[in-house]
Amino acid sequence: MSSLNAPDSGHLIDLNDLAAEFRADDLYQRKGQIARTLVHTPDLRVVIIALAGDRTIAEHHASATVTIHCLSGRLRLQLPDRQVELAAGNLLPLGRDLPHDVHALEDSVFVLTLGTT
């Protein structure tokens, strides 16, 4: 599935199907990480990411408010003042420019949503 540059028509995306595809993908098998942008418009970006257990996305920040929605597995985020663990079904909003890393405590899939900068 390619990015949806104009989601105005209301295109349905099955996140469970994508998560299963990711786990079987060669890149995920080799690198332990794969991502795909699902929606990219001037005011919204939505990305699905699979991260193998014990893999980390190094500290970074976004120039917009974001949410991280854990679909499966368990994640640990290191924030400036604390650690936060997310399990399947948890949603974590993060303020603009808040430094954080993302560590998969087990094989995990999550959705990253970025608002307008």
Side-chain angles (χ1 to χ4, degrees):
M1 176 183 302
S2 62
S3 298
L4 303 175
N5 293 320
D8 299 336
S9 63
H11 184 86
L12 180 65
I13 300 169
D14 189 323
L15 298 174
N16 291 319
D17 282 351
L18 284 173
E21 284 179 31
F22 276 10
R23 285 187 207 98
D25 190 279
D26 286 341
L27 180 62
Y28 177 76
Q29 296 297 322
R30 286 191 326 265
K31 303 282 186 174
Q33 181 177 340
I34 189 169
R36 184 177 302 161
T37 300
L38 303 175
V39 178
H40 192 203
T41 66
D43 62 344
L44 180 68
R45 196 165 118 205
V46 179
V47 181
I48 186 170
I49 302 165
L51 194 59
D54 208 30
R55 300 284 181 159
T56 300
I57 299 173
E59 184 177 295
H60 60 283
H61 68 276
S63 58
T65 300
V66 304
T67 63
I68 298 172
H69 178 187
C70 185
L71 298 177
S72 65
R74 288 185 316 126
L75 302 168
R76 183 179 60 231
L77 280 76
Q78 180 64 54
L79 304 178
D81 62 344
R82 69 188 189 287
Q83 289 184 344
V84 177
E85 285 195 20
L86 299 177
N90 292 159
L91 177 76
L92 178 67
L94 297 175
R96 170 187 204 141
D97 293 323
L98 183 67
H100 62 280
D101 69 9
V102 180
H103 179 77
L105 297 169
E106 56 191 56
D107 292 352
S108 301
V109 178
F110 61 100
V111 174
L112 172 68
T113 302
L114 297 100
T116 305
T117 57

